[in-house]
Amino acid sequence: MSPLVPHFGSLGSLLLPLLVLLLRLGLSRGLYFHIGETEKRCFIEEIPDETMVIGNYKTQLWDKQSETFLPSTPGLGMHVEVKDPEGKVILSRQYGSEGRFTFTSHTPGEHQICLHSNSTRMSLFTGGKLRVHLDIQIGEHTNNYPEIAANDKLTELQLRVRQLLDQVEQIQKEQNYQRYREERFRLTSESTNQRVLWWSIAQTLILILTGIWQMRHLKSFFEAKKLV
């Protein structure tokens, strides 16, 4: 463990300005939403490549008698589908009324996560609505550090070192993703500028040709009128 001590001293100045970025990028996304029996709800997550994503969800069914949301019956399930930035399906699976899905991104960019219920087979759900609690964890926040510490018999200091290394790795992935986005934006900007340039040249040529045609037309008109 001793070789790591000076290493963290050199990383101190790097970690300090990047921890704010890490807090924005690595925290879990917790929310809930309502869906109808045939409704499909999708979310977009910008994820770096080779990054693990874990989603935990649970459903509650609207009870008309008590006018509140109650835990769903076991027969009510959710279908989860995940597409990568290229539109390729990387996860499509049916789960229960409460579950957990996991996938790893292989292409950086916007991933589409869609959920819908199997309520068309449930007369219980007809005409009602479903509340879905969804928690999405990205990157090093998917790690269960208490379990890792117990399995690997790590001390508190060793566990903290492990967490810092995972955070640095996640920051590097996010930096690579930002560079990838900047490169795509630069290529798009260059392509747009080139199209604008060619369009300007085309407009100039059209104006020149129109002017030449007008001059010839006027010359022919004056010659026909014997003015020149």
Side-chain angles (χ1 to χ4, degrees):
M1 297 300 296
S2 57
L4 290 176
V5 176
H7 181 62
F8 280 112
S10 62
L11 281 177
S13 59
L14 174 64
L15 287 176
L16 204 58
L18 292 178
L19 282 178
V20 175
L21 176 66
L22 179 67
L23 289 174
R24 182 180 67 85
L25 298 169
L27 293 178
S28 61
R29 281 77 163 171
L31 55 91
Y32 74 86
F33 55 92
H34 299 145
I35 58 174
E37 60 176 331
T38 59
E39 188 177 357
K40 184 177 183 180
R41 188 64 61 90
C42 295
F43 302 90
I44 301 295
E45 287 287 346
E46 291 190 357
I47 306 172
D49 60 338
E50 303 304 325
T51 300
M52 177 176 288
V53 179
I54 295 178
N56 295 283
Y57 74 90
K58 66 176 181 179
T59 59
Q60 292 178 306
L61 190 63
W62 175 255
D63 184 70
K64 294 182 180 180
Q65 294 182 350
S66 60
E67 295 186 349
T68 186
F69 286 95
L70 301 177
S72 301
T73 59
L76 183 61
M78 294 292 295
H79 185 271
V80 180
E81 182 179 86
V82 180
K83 294 183 179 179
D84 66 7
E86 299 175 353
K88 180 181 177 182
V89 177
I90 58 178
L91 175 66
S92 181
R93 185 176 173 184
Q94 186 76 26
Y95 295 88
S97 58
E98 182 174 347
R100 169 185 176 130
F101 59 90
T102 305
F103 67 92
T104 300
S105 62
H106 300 291
T107 304
E110 294 183 345
H111 288 65
Q112 186 181 69
I113 304 173
C114 297
L115 300 92
H116 64 88
S117 69
N118 63 349
S119 59
T120 54
R121 300 192 300 269
M122 297 284 294
S123 59
L124 174 66
F125 189 46
T126 303
K129 60 181 178 178
L130 192 68
R131 173 179 288 179
V132 182
H133 297 264
L134 178 63
D135 178 43
I136 298 178
Q137 298 174 330
I138 301 175
E140 57 96 13
H141 285 267
T142 60
N143 296 330
N144 189 339
Y145 287 108
E147 183 179 345
I148 292 175
N151 293 337
D152 297 342
K153 296 181 174 58
L154 301 178
T155 64
E156 184 177 352
L157 178 60
Q158 290 173 326
L159 181 62
R160 182 57 182 163
V161 170
R162 172 71 178 270
Q163 290 176 318
L164 289 175
L165 291 176
D166 289 343
Q167 289 175 356
V168 170
E169 182 181 359
Q170 184 62 30
I171 289 174
Q172 290 176 340
K173 289 181 179 180
E174 183 58 35
Q175 287 179 328
N176 292 335
Y177 174 57
Q178 294 301 328
R179 282 194 288 267
Y180 167 77
R181 290 186 62 186
E182 290 175 2
E183 178 68 15
R184 288 187 59 187
F185 180 75
R186 184 183 64 81
L187 293 176
T188 302
S189 298
E190 290 179 353
S191 176
T192 303
N193 292 335
Q194 189 175 22
R195 291 179 182 180
V196 170
L197 175 63
W198 283 111
W199 175 245
S200 300
I201 294 174
Q203 283 184 317
T204 303
L205 291 175
I206 291 173
L207 288 174
I208 293 174
L209 293 175
T210 302
I212 294 174
W213 176 81
Q214 286 179 339
M215 291 177 61
R216 288 188 175 184
H217 179 73
L218 289 174
K219 183 179 179 181
S220 301
F221 173 79
F222 291 138
E223 288 177 348
K225 296 295 184 178
K226 298 181 180 180
L227 297 177
V228 293

